[in-house]
Amino acid sequence: MNENFINVWVLNSELERTPYTKTAITLRRKYDFKPLDKTRPLAQAIMEGWKERSPADSLVISLDLELMGRLPVNERHSPYNGAKGYRLFLEESLDGKLPGLREDLPIHWDTLLETAVESGAMVDDGLSVTLTDEHSEQEVLSVLRTSETEAQNYTIVEIDATAFTDGGVLVIDVWVGEAEVSGSFDLFAADTTELVSDNALVSIKDIPTNQREVVKYPFDRGQVFKLGAIGNAGENGKINGFLAKISVEPVPREVPPVHSEQSAEDVMNTFVEAFKNLDAETMDSMFTEDARETFGGDFEDVPENMRAQISQMLSSMEVLSSEYVGDEFHFRLKVPMGQPPESSIKMRKVEGIWRIYDIMPSDSN
């Protein structure tokens, strides 16, 4: 970049692209701030390159102050996402292809994607991901192609999940790009020799352009999979991009239901196991109605890509103490991520069943 470009940036506010706040105006007056002269040729070129309603744009401007390319920050999708994609944007600008500045003309996605593959910005061969406890989610950006037959024009992604010796849930979240080709994805065992959709472990079929789908596949031991991506039936060799987020979630451990004959200690242990597994449904069933309104559903909105990490951290949770207090049962938990790290939980019987009615932070001192 240093050989071909002079890299600079300018705040939107300095060219009055965004309105000043009262605080900003006060500070600028205090320090005798002088705004950029918008009549200067470079400022004019920058303002010409702005895209309406875009919060920020990457612009390539020639030495003659002519616009050569524009990449709005919210449009850094295929084929321009990531470091290689940004390099492709810069290369196309230097080649006079005016990326981002020819929006009045139809976009030839097939050509763009082929260019991205040829340039190395995207690959469609030798794709692989290795998932571990520390790196349980990875992304793959590549292309899929149509085929005249199902003998197969797959783009293959090898997924190594052997680190999960006790198994887990393989989660594949795929987004199909904006070209006219819809896509299908088939998951195969590593030893599958005939890669046809009838032999797939699980499939996602006919994802329309610019749409996403998620599929989950539970497995009981560490193993290797093959993910096949292919364009749906049509003219041979048509192409589209796709982004796949591939991750492994832990298998939810079965938690015994709460019954009237369960002791307070049983209910406590059930609650702790549900807490460790972020099992909001089981935890909610153990609260009184009032407590459910206060504490219920705490884990329902945890993003899928964070659940495994949080559950792993909570695995060291432990019961510090427990005791009967009159007709109630109280226990203290050490919660690894808690602030403070200890909680006091109180239970009482409701219609003969032990239920949690209060959870309070506990001072370890």
Side-chain angles (χ1 to χ4, degrees):
M1 288 182 65
N2 291 334
E3 294 178 1
N4 296 285
F5 300 92
I6 299 173
N7 302 295
V8 298
W9 58 271
V10 59
L11 291 172
N12 283 329
S13 56
E14 292 192 17
L15 287 176
E16 299 180 353
R17 185 182 187 183
T18 55
Y20 295 132
T21 64
K22 291 181 179 180
T23 302
I25 293 173
T26 301
L27 288 172
R28 287 168 183 269
R29 289 174 177 170
K30 178 179 178 181
Y31 293 102
D32 194 29
F33 173 80
K34 295 181 179 180
L36 295 177
D37 185 351
K38 295 192 294 183
T39 65
R40 291 185 174 273
L42 178 58
Q44 290 287 310
I46 294 171
M47 294 166 64
E48 181 185 348
W50 287 342
K51 182 170 182 178
E52 187 177 1
R53 292 188 291 276
S54 173
D57 302 301
S58 294
L59 302 175
V60 178
I61 300 174
S62 74
L63 295 177
D64 296 324
L65 301 183
E66 296 179 350
L67 282 170
M68 301 174 68
R70 173 178 62 201
L71 183 59
V73 67
N74 288 339
E75 297 181 18
R76 292 193 62 181
H77 45 60
S78 174
Y80 299 125
N81 57 319
K84 291 183 178 179
Y86 190 71
R87 178 172 178 170
L88 175 65
F89 160 69
L90 297 178
E91 290 173 343
E92 289 188 352
S93 298
L94 293 181
D95 290 342
K97 296 181 179 179
L98 303 177
L101 296 173
R102 304 179 66 182
E103 297 172 350
D104 55 328
L105 300 176
I107 299 176
H108 300 290
W109 287 103
D110 287 1
T111 302
L112 287 175
L113 290 165
E114 288 288 7
T115 301
V117 172
E118 291 170 0
S119 70
M122 298 175 72
V123 296
D124 59 353
D125 189 30
L127 297 166
S128 64
V129 298
T130 300
L131 303 173
T132 64
D133 286 326
E134 294 75 20
H135 303 284
S136 60
E137 177 180 300
Q138 293 194 38
E139 293 186 354
V140 173
L141 176 66
S142 188
V143 295
L144 50 81
R145 303 173 187 273
T146 59
S147 178
E148 291 179 343
T149 68
E150 233 188 10
Q152 281 301 81
N153 204 5
Y154 277 123
T155 296
I156 298 293
V157 182
E158 182 177 279
I159 304 170
D160 186 341
T162 54
F164 296 89
T165 55
D166 295 328
V169 179
L170 184 65
V171 181
I172 302 172
D173 182 341
V174 290
W175 171 81
V176 173
E178 297 186 11
E180 64 183 23
V181 179
S182 56
S184 292
F185 297 80
D186 297 315
L187 182 69
F188 302 98
D191 58 0
T192 303
T193 56
E194 188 178 3
L195 300 184
V196 294
S197 58
D198 288 344
N199 294 334
L201 301 170
V202 65
S203 301
I204 318 174
K205 297 293 187 184
D206 303 326
I207 303 177
T209 59
N210 205 23
Q211 298 291 324
R212 63 182 286 269
E213 295 286 348
V214 179
V215 67
K216 297 185 178 184
Y217 179 76
F219 60 100
D220 58 9
R221 58 180 177 80
Q223 58 186 291
V224 177
F225 301 93
K226 295 177 182 177
L227 176 65
I230 191 168
N232 290 330
E235 183 181 345
N236 190 36
K238 286 286 187 178
I239 189 172
N240 200 354
F242 73 89
L243 174 68
K245 294 182 180 181
I246 304 170
S247 60
V248 172
E249 297 177 352
V251 176
R253 285 172 280 183
E254 291 188 5
V255 180
V258 178
H259 298 298
S260 59
E261 64 269 16
Q262 284 187 308
S263 67
E265 289 85 354
D266 290 337
V267 174
M268 174 185 70
N269 293 330
T270 298
F271 177 79
V272 172
E273 286 303 304
F275 200 156
K276 290 179 179 179
N277 290 302
L278 306 184
D279 187 349
E281 184 177 355
T282 297
M283 293 172 66
D284 289 355
S285 71
M286 304 175 73
F287 293 135
T288 63
E289 186 173 345
D290 289 342
R292 191 176 300 117
E293 293 180 0
T294 304
F295 308 111
D298 284 351
F299 297 118
E300 289 181 353
D301 296 328
V302 175
E304 292 293 335
N305 61 341
M306 294 178 60
R307 295 184 73 87
Q309 289 179 294
I310 295 175
S311 183
Q312 179 67 29
M313 287 187 282
L314 290 176
S315 64
S316 61
M317 182 190 302
E318 59 179 315
V319 177
L320 297 174
S321 64
S322 62
E323 61 178 341
Y324 286 91
V325 181
D327 59 355
E328 296 187 356
F329 184 80
H330 300 174
F331 61 96
R332 287 194 307 126
L333 281 181
K334 180 180 179 181
V335 184
M337 297 187 301
Q339 294 294 331
E342 294 182 13
S343 293
S344 177
I345 299 161
K346 299 179 179 180
M347 296 192 301
R348 62 185 174 213
K349 280 195 172 183
V350 178
E351 297 179 355
I353 298 176
W354 285 104
R355 301 226 180 251
I356 295 170
Y357 73 89
D358 193 21
I359 301 177
M360 296 183 61
S362 176
D363 188 348
S364 59
N365 297 323

